[in-house]
Amino acid sequence: MSIQTTTAPDALRLDLPTSFVWGAATAAYQIEGAADAGGRTPSIWDTYSHTPGKVQNGDTGDVADDHYHRFREDVATMKELGLQTYRFSIAWPRITSQVTADSLGPVNEEGIDFYSRLIDELLAAGIAPAATLYHWDLPQALEDAGGWPARATAERFAEYAGVVAARLGDRLGTFITLNEPWCSAYLGYGSGVHAPGRTNHADVLAAVHHLNLAHGLATTAIRAERPDATVGLTLNLAWVNPATDAPADVAAAQRIDGLQNRVFLDPVLTGSYPQDIVEATASVSDWSFVKDGDLELIRQPLDVLGVNYYSPTVVRAYDGVGEREEADGHGASTASPWPACADIEFPQLPGPYTEMGWSIDARGLTELLVRMHREHPGLQLMVTENGAAFPDRVETDGSIQDLDRIEYLRDHVQAVSDAVAAGAPVRGYYVWSLLDNFEWGYGYSKRFGIVHVDYETQERTKKASAHWYADLITAQQA
Ligand code: FCB
């Protein structure tokens, strides 16, 4: 396939080590389907998506990309693209389908078998598997017992992580404990635009802590089974900028930085919670869910920090006049995801935008990676998600000429290379996503794939961006 020279891989000036790996990412609920197959029990996303009015168009993950039945075909596609690594997630409700707050229950062998076959298929194709253990599909039974605001959820998660390490860790070298715990806590329990759809700011902060605790306990559990495993955590770090230099705007940016970035980074990497955030949220919560010894449990050596980046964040102080803007692109809700932030607003950013309405600015990716390197020298970094939704059109010849996606990816890949040139130890890049899939509250209306999926026929078609990415990987290996 011929593509415009402006978007050709050789138009990039990349300065990356030969060890740099290229991959694609997906998540279980977004692609697997087969919601009732193989002994799987409901997760919070089954319940949420089946609740009228929650997901656009009433879409659910019941069928999705039917990847559960088509994984061999999908791995073959990955091989054709030349992917070196594939980041997928393991559905907890497939592995310990009878879990309760008190007990993990038996291991569901059919669930283990599915991921075992997937891993074998990947290895046979020469693709290194990297598994996320939690990409938002909490077993519904645990939500019924309190969900992430309850401590037992973290304890059961660690036991589940230990099971996966014991049963799959012989062939699975890389574990990402959690994907974007900010979304689990703030969108799941704050604004309610994600499952389980609750709206309580005290619960948001309790969820933050128990997600951090879950990461720490799971890291220990994985290492107990597999001392050589690579264990990471993926965060959606925000590149936060104040709208102006006014002290009130700068302070607002500092608070959002604390609530999105530092409440996760600090406990994991330095063993403390940011004092400014504990103080700023004092009217919401007394943080008594943090028990003696928890911070030592959370602060475990981290082999790699996964960074997901899509769009920049700009904040300003809200003076109470006019309607407060909350254009932070996480779905419409009358409730704010942010505890103790009624005096902060998120102004609409200048374009260009992706189809999500997210402003495009690749500099943020460089800035975040360089910041992590500056603040946490020696910490290994990986871009575990980056990509864009655009209104793709299938041409009469069946092709999808998604030049806007190619341009987005090209600029962000260049941004990664710029960070590496500035000294940041970035080990690889995963495009989000391999396939068009269930985009949470937006259902199937937003397409992030480099491979198009026809949801009527389940036919997969590589978009121009997939061909571009394959050419890029080839060029990088030459
Ligand atoms: C991230 C999620 C991923 C996908 C992309 C677009 O926040 O981790 O599942 O929805 O956004």
Side-chain angles (χ1 to χ4, degrees), residues 141-211:
L142 289 178
E143 170 58 21
D144 294 343
W148 284 113
R151 191 178 176 94
T153 301
E155 294 165 350
R156 298 295 84 73
F157 177 73
E159 294 165 6
Y160 148 69
V163 166
V164 174
R167 301 297 297 276
L168 300 172
D170 56 337
R171 288 155 297 144
L172 181 59
T174 302
F175 297 80
I176 304 286
T177 55
L178 306 175
N179 177 71
E180 301 190 358
W182 182 89
C183 293
S184 300
Y186 291 68
L187 303 182
Y189 296 93
S191 63
V193 299
H194 276 192
R198 282 156 62 181
T199 52
N200 178 304
H201 284 162
D203 286 343
V204 169
L205 298 172
V208 165
H209 179 61
H210 295 133
L211 284 154

Side-chain angles (χ1 to χ4, degrees), residues 446-460:
K446 300 289 184 280
R447 294 176 175 271
F448 276 88
I450 57 172
V451 175
H452 180 269
V453 176
D454 179 329
Y455 295 115
E456 298 293 316
T457 62
Q458 292 294 346
E459 193 188 339
R460 276 83 161 130

Side-chain angles (χ1 to χ4, degrees), residues 263-309:
V263 286
F264 299 105
L265 292 167
D266 288 12
V268 170
L269 297 171
T270 69
S272 65
Y273 275 109
Q275 197 52 38
D276 60 327
I277 294 306
V278 173
E279 284 166 15
T281 57
S283 63
V284 174
S285 170
D286 62 6
W287 289 69
S288 57
F289 41 74
V290 183
K291 305 297 180 200
D292 282 354
D294 280 3
L295 285 157
E296 290 73 51
L297 296 173
I298 293 170
R299 184 189 185 182
Q300 299 300 322
L302 189 67
D303 295 319
V304 60
L305 177 70
V307 176
N308 291 357
Y309 177 79

Side-chain angles (χ1 to χ4, degrees), residues 27-32 40-46 89-96 99 115 132-143 148 157 160 177 179 184 195 440:
Y29 191 71
Q30 296 180 275
I31 65 164
E32 285 181 1
R40 182 183 179 280
T41 49
S43 79
I44 55 176
W45 268 99
D46 296 281
S89 85
I90 294 179
W92 186 354
R94 289 197 192 280
I95 303 297
T96 64
V99 62
Y115 295 107
T132 306
L133 297 178
Y134 186 71
H135 203 127
W136 307 351
D137 42 3
L138 186 70
Q140 182 62 41
L142 289 178
E143 170 58 21
W148 284 113
F157 177 73
Y160 148 69
T177 55
N179 177 71
S184 300
W440 308 114

